[in-house]
Amino acid sequence: MKAILTAFVAIAAASSAHAQSLPGGFVYLRDIDPSIIQDIRYATSNNFVGRPLRGYGAGECVVKREVGMRLKAVQQELSGQNLSLKMFDCYRPARASLDMVAWSQNGRETAAERRYNPKISKTELFRLGYIASRSQHSTGAALDLTLVDLKADNSAKYDSSKAYADCTAPVEARAPEGSVDMGTGYDCTDVKGHTAAPSIAPGQRAWRKRLVAAMSRQGFVNYSKEWWHFSLPGAGGAAYDFPIQPRKR
């Protein structure tokens, strides 16, 4: 979920943190399971804002250790089915949520931004709860992710020069994500993005159910309005604002 209004934020600023220096309890997911695919979209221009968000100094998934260990268990189950998790967002610095709010109120709206919000004006995203100044992601216990079929051709890459169809369009027309067809693209603020949306195809619904089931077996809970968003109850706590730095290899 882009943000959750009920999260409690106690910002622990660490703007000058050294690379790979994380607060206690946080880990780089690559150190837990390097086989999990990562495409941290807010560290790139391939997202609804169209640029890297504040605090994303590296495209790395950072999570609470318990969350990472449970993701590893999910990945182990999926690997026997020639599937993999693909992470879109993990820990999110609190400043990034504020960056989203500022973006929604900047008075401009481009065609590229409309791809993610085909039926909703960006000025309405805050009122409708799609964007808020406080996010559960900032606790390290919330995740945005999808599934990848490792037997499929996932070579298509996002091209910023192309005019893709909006996030509700058929998979062939919308921006490629190198994953299974979940019925909409990631971060799609539309009713088709609701996990149990009746308007998607049976095959797309089956993929969503498969993802929810695999995550549920490790205690993760899906947010009903976003098929990609999961959280681990009890693993959160205070929210943080330390920047995501490159992981030492």
Side-chain angles (χ1 to χ4, degrees):
M1 180 183 181
K2 291 178 184 174
I4 295 180
L5 288 167
T6 56
F8 294 95
V9 177
I11 295 177
S15 299
S16 60
H18 186 271
Q20 206 176 6
S21 177
L22 298 174
F26 282 88
V27 296
Y28 286 91
L29 183 59
R30 291 190 203 277
D31 291 333
I32 300 292
D33 191 336
S35 74
I36 297 176
I37 300 169
Q38 297 189 30
D39 180 13
I40 307 303
R41 298 277 287 276
Y42 298 145
T44 74
S45 61
N46 182 18
N47 58 58
F48 68 94
V49 176
R51 57 169 173 75
L53 289 176
R54 293 180 58 208
Y56 283 82
E60 290 287 346
C61 175
V62 173
V63 291
K64 287 290 183 68
R65 179 173 294 277
E66 180 185 1
V67 173
M69 295 306 296
R70 292 189 186 227
L71 287 173
K72 180 180 178 71
V74 175
Q75 182 77 347
Q76 289 175 335
E77 175 188 339
L78 294 174
S79 64
Q81 306 167 44
N82 288 308
L83 297 173
S84 173
L85 292 175
K86 183 173 188 176
M87 313 304 299
F88 288 133
D89 194 33
C90 303
Y91 158 74
R92 179 186 305 164
R95 71 191 74 179
S97 294
L98 296 177
D99 201 4
M100 291 179 180
V101 174
W103 164 84
S104 72
Q105 300 172 350
N106 67 12
R108 301 185 302 273
E109 193 156 20
T110 68
E113 292 171 351
R114 293 291 293 174
R115 288 196 290 107
Y116 293 87
N117 314 301
K119 299 175 182 177
I120 304 172
S121 169
K122 65 189 288 185
T123 59
E124 292 293 294
L125 296 177
F126 188 88
R127 182 180 66 81
L128 295 174
Y130 286 107
I131 291 177
S133 58
R134 300 175 179 181
S135 171
Q136 193 178 21
H137 278 277
S138 300
T139 72
L143 311 157
D144 294 342
L145 49 79
T146 189
L147 290 175
V148 174
D149 181 353
L150 298 175
K151 303 188 305 296
D153 179 4
N154 299 305
S155 61
K157 303 298 182 183
Y158 171 75
D159 183 347
S160 60
S161 67
K162 290 187 176 180
Y164 295 106
D166 72 60
C167 60
T168 66
V171 66
E172 298 82 7
R174 62 181 189 258
E177 295 186 331
S179 59
V180 302
D181 181 9
M182 290 288 189
T184 74
Y186 167 55
D187 259 352
C188 188
T189 52
D190 187 87
V191 293
K192 287 185 71 175
H194 296 185
T195 309
S199 56
I200 61 175
Q204 297 163 342
R205 185 173 298 107
W207 279 122
R208 292 186 186 189
K209 288 181 177 180
R210 197 166 181 176
L211 175 60
V212 170
M215 295 294 287
S216 297
R217 283 191 282 274
Q218 289 300 321
F220 291 99
V221 176
N222 172 248
Y223 176 57
S224 64
K225 291 185 178 181
E226 296 178 347
W227 60 257
W228 55 85
H229 179 88
F230 293 82
S231 59
L232 184 61
Y240 290 77
D241 191 40
F242 63 88
I244 301 171
Q245 302 279 20
R247 167 182 166 271
K248 290 182 179 177
R249 293 173 174 81

